[in-house]
Amino acid sequence: MKKNKFVAFTLILALVISLAGLTGCSTGAGNEASTAPAEGQTLIIQDSAWEGVDLFQVSSWNDMQCLLADPILEKDPDTGAVLPGIASDSKWSEDGLTWTLTFPEGMKYSTGEQVEPEDFIASVEYGLEVSPYADGYQAIESMEVDGRNVIVHLSDYQADMQYNFQSCFVGLMDKDEIENMSADEKLWGCHPYGAYYLDEYQPGAYAILKANEGYKTHNPMLKNQGPSPVKTIKVVFSGESFTFAQGVKNGDYDVLSTVPSEYYEELKSADNIDMFEAYGAEVNYAEINMTDPIFQDINVRKAVIHAISRDNLGSYLSEFEKPAHSLVLRKCLNYSEEAVDYYDTNYGYDPELSKKLLADAGWTDTNNDGFVDKNGSNLAFEFDCRDSETPKKVAQSLQIDLKAVGIDMKIKTQNWSYVNQDVVDGNFQMAYLGLGWSEPFLLVDKFCNRNAKCTNPDPENYNAMVAAARKTVDYDEITEQITAIQKKLFDYCTIIPLIDNNGYRCWRSEIQGIVHTPTGGFYLGDVVTDANGNFRNVK
């Protein structure tokens, strides 16, 4: 986000934590410490449990772990433009095949070792060997050091590759640690380059982080680009939502990485709490099986789409969701209002048009039972719905809208993984799916392609459009191409954007200077402290 929880995108990456034999971890139970009162020199943060601190081995990197590992580059939260991070400069050749990164002197790991350009090469090579996200930079053919620069040569340009280097999954590790530590030792004992390092880890309970005094960043979002003024952080894993919500109000906790939805209103209205959006782009959508006898007729698919009222849908949703009018969302790179306008103009709510399309396809209510029928059968289909709160609310809204135009939608709820598998197997009529990622190419790779036979009537040309966009260097040109790809998807009438998901983070308002982004960026370098390192109520 960061891979905001958004890196564990709605394909949902499993968190598998091995608690046995963790190198470098404390073995004490320590659960009582999770509720210890906060002191003005130790920042108490709630977060989900961690898999490890080797950013290349793990498959999930939770919010506050980003305090341990900077990305190579940052993102402008408003424009999506590339900003310096660990690297002070990033330059691409005109053809997109040569990438030059600069790593100045004076940046040190928490071990005291200086960051060297060779560390970048070693880190990338290590990631290509072990990372579950290595596909994101497989196009790297060779790398070489030139002074404080690393020159990266690509076999072909991939527009989505750079995004990986704007996440903690491709940060920086010391070449010596990569080469001399075993995989088990690195999992919890390595020292990636970041503002903090792991000082103590109690499995399932908490982690103690200490400031890296040799730290330096080139991130222009921070005024203080040196060591953090907050010297000690305690990240608490165990506890209930009620405990966290009450704790941040009364001072037992300073920061909640995720605001529990059931306490959103209470915390938002609290005088001593600041709350902000902190979530990447996550879209929930439906796909229609165009090979199903009912949905082979595109007019029937269009009728379903035009029957959906996003005003009605919005009335079912919480502050954590809002209706979506596109597939590439506002927090995603290459977002365009043009795609939203195209969808609303051509596929917006129009129940009268929906009824006409059904009638043109031969579906009318001949027996006055409220449902259209043809050849003696009502127009009825099954909606394969995820068994969780938001999808079930969406299903209820759709069911009401479709009944209003004479369509009988049955709801089947099951675990999200079974819904996904039904789509892959072609065993569905209409299904609820989701993807969370703040860069568009992973998304357009997946939309209507989990089972192209059922949902993509023109996969050859569609995939050619995606491939051409991926090789485009200019950002604005990519945005135009991603918009064209969305229009093509909409015109299939096999995919329906439904929900734009959101999330929130909060902290005590007495803490001044936290820098944050709406996609989950969280930086402590500018926090105001007094001479004793106290960050509470500093005047």
Side-chain angles (χ1 to χ4, degrees), residues 77-235:
D78 297 320
T79 67
V82 177
L83 298 177
I86 300 177
S88 63
D89 196 20
S90 167
K91 292 180 180 177
W92 286 90
S93 62
E94 191 170 324
D95 62 6
L97 298 180
T98 305
W99 186 28
T100 303
L101 292 161
T102 303
F103 299 93
E105 293 182 340
M107 304 160 60
K108 295 184 178 180
Y109 298 97
S110 58
T111 59
E113 293 293 318
Q114 179 171 265
V115 167
E116 300 294 346
E118 288 82 1
D119 295 339
F120 176 83
I121 295 176
S123 296
V124 171
E125 290 175 343
Y126 177 53
L128 287 169
E129 180 183 347
V130 305
S131 174
Y133 303 104
D135 284 349
Y137 43 103
Q138 286 285 354
I140 293 178
E141 199 167 55
S142 65
M143 295 173 282
E144 63 196 58
V145 173
D146 180 13
R148 300 302 298 184
N149 296 328
V150 176
I151 302 172
V152 181
H153 302 281
L154 282 71
S155 56
D156 58 90
Y157 181 76
Q158 293 182 347
D160 50 337
M161 189 196 82
Q162 182 174 257
Y163 181 79
N164 291 272
F165 291 85
Q166 294 174 289
S167 75
C168 297
F169 286 99
V170 197
L172 210 61
M173 288 172 58
D174 190 338
K175 180 176 184 286
D176 292 337
E177 288 195 343
I178 291 172
E179 294 177 348
N180 297 322
M181 297 174 76
S182 69
D184 286 343
E185 289 171 337
K186 285 196 285 277
L187 184 62
W188 286 103
C190 68
H191 302 83
Y193 184 79
Y196 290 85
Y197 65 93
L198 182 66
D199 184 61
E200 180 185 353
Y201 179 77
Q202 293 283 355
Y206 68 88
I208 302 295
L209 312 185
K210 297 287 188 178
N212 173 10
E213 296 302 334
Y215 177 76
K216 181 179 179 182
T217 181
H218 303 98
N219 182 352
M221 290 185 282
L222 293 171
K223 296 176 183 176
N224 168 33
Q225 298 189 331
S228 175
V230 178
K231 300 305 179 185
T232 304
I233 298 173
K234 183 174 185 178
V235 183

Side-chain angles (χ1 to χ4, degrees), residues 372-389:
V372 296
D373 58 84
K374 184 165 68 171
N375 300 326
S377 297
N378 284 352
L379 201 170
F381 72 90
E382 187 174 73
F383 182 63
D384 201 344
C385 179
R386 293 180 173 186
D387 189 14
S388 52
E389 183 180 358

Side-chain angles (χ1 to χ4, degrees), residues 440-518:
F441 283 97
L442 180 146
L443 305 178
V444 296
D445 282 340
K446 295 289 185 181
F447 292 142
C448 294
N449 269 340
R450 300 188 202 215
N451 187 327
K453 180 180 178 182
C454 293
T455 56
N456 193 327
D458 189 19
E460 183 176 352
N461 286 323
Y462 175 82
N463 291 329
M465 289 175 69
V466 173
R470 190 173 251 117
K471 294 184 184 302
T472 300
V473 177
D474 183 80
Y475 182 89
D476 291 337
E477 289 183 26
I478 296 171
T479 300
E480 292 178 5
Q481 291 169 300
I482 292 296
T483 300
I485 289 167
Q486 287 185 84
K487 290 178 180 179
K488 187 174 182 66
L489 288 167
F490 297 150
D491 291 344
Y492 289 163
C493 296
T494 60
I495 189 166
I496 309 170
L498 294 171
I499 300 295
D500 179 350
N501 285 287
N502 200 5
Y504 296 87
R505 180 171 292 147
C506 72
W507 51 83
R508 293 179 61 80
S509 54
E510 62 189 327
I511 305 169
Q512 300 299 307
I514 293 176
V515 175
H516 58 94
T517 71

Side-chain angles (χ1 to χ4, degrees), residues 215-483:
Y215 177 76
K216 181 179 179 182
T217 181
H218 303 98
N219 182 352
M221 290 185 282
L222 293 171
K223 296 176 183 176
N224 168 33
Q225 298 189 331
S228 175
V230 178
K231 300 305 179 185
T232 304
I233 298 173
K234 183 174 185 178
V235 183
V236 177
F237 307 131
S238 59
E240 302 296 328
S241 293
F242 172 81
T243 303
F244 294 142
Q246 297 308 308
V248 75
K249 288 173 64 179
N250 64 32
D252 289 340
Y253 298 93
D254 296 301
V255 179
L256 301 188
S257 67
T258 303
V259 172
S261 59
E262 63 269 35
Y263 295 103
Y264 171 84
E265 293 295 343
E266 178 181 336
L267 291 172
K268 186 172 180 62
S269 62
D271 292 337
N272 62 340
I273 300 297
D274 289 343
M275 185 182 296
F276 300 94
E277 287 189 22
Y279 205 71
E282 180 182 334
V283 62
N284 288 171
Y285 57 97
E287 286 191 5
I288 299 174
N289 185 347
M290 65 184 182
T291 67
D292 182 85
I294 290 175
F295 292 127
Q296 287 177 2
D297 188 334
I298 193 171
N299 279 339
V300 176
R301 304 199 301 270
K302 284 182 179 179
V304 168
I305 293 169
H306 283 297
I308 296 172
S309 166
R310 280 166 179 77
D311 288 341
N312 183 42
L313 180 58
S315 69
Y316 281 79
L317 303 177
S318 73
E319 292 289 339
F320 288 73
E321 311 108 6
K322 69 179 186 178
H325 299 253
S326 64
L327 294 165
V328 175
L329 300 176
R330 58 197 169 94
K331 291 185 181 179
C332 191
L333 297 179
N334 306 109
Y335 169 77
S336 171
E337 285 287 342
E338 184 181 342
V340 173
D341 293 341
Y342 183 84
Y343 187 82
D344 288 344
T345 299
N346 294 279
Y347 300 103
Y349 179 54
D350 190 339
E352 294 309 313
L353 177 56
S354 177
K355 292 175 184 178
K356 182 180 185 303
L357 289 165
L358 291 173
D360 290 347
W363 293 94
T364 57
D365 184 2
T366 62
N367 56 9
N368 295 316
D369 66 350
F371 295 107
V372 296
D373 58 84
K374 184 165 68 171
N375 300 326
S377 297
N378 284 352
L379 201 170
F381 72 90
E382 187 174 73
F383 182 63
D384 201 344
C385 179
R386 293 180 173 186
D387 189 14
S388 52
E389 183 180 358
T390 298
K392 288 190 285 189
K393 290 188 295 186
V394 172
Q396 289 178 328
S397 177
L398 298 188
Q399 189 177 55
I400 291 170
D401 286 343
L402 291 172
K403 184 177 181 180
V405 299
I407 298 174
D408 184 12
M409 189 186 91
K410 316 287 187 182
I411 301 172
K412 179 180 76 173
T413 58
Q414 56 181 343
N415 181 274
W416 69 271
S417 62
Y418 292 111
V419 178
N420 288 359
Q421 192 60 48
D422 281 348
V423 174
V424 171
D425 295 340
N427 182 31
F428 74 105
Q429 291 179 288
M430 180 167 153
Y432 187 100
L433 300 169
L435 287 170
W437 196 242
S438 296
E439 184 281 326
F441 283 97
L442 180 146
L443 305 178
V444 296
D445 282 340
K446 295 289 185 181
F447 292 142
C448 294
N449 269 340
R450 300 188 202 215
N451 187 327
K453 180 180 178 182
C454 293
T455 56
N456 193 327
D458 189 19
E460 183 176 352
N461 286 323
Y462 175 82
N463 291 329
M465 289 175 69
V466 173
R470 190 173 251 117
K471 294 184 184 302
T472 300
V473 177
D474 183 80
Y475 182 89
D476 291 337
E477 289 183 26
I478 296 171
T479 300
E480 292 178 5
Q481 291 169 300
I482 292 296
T483 300

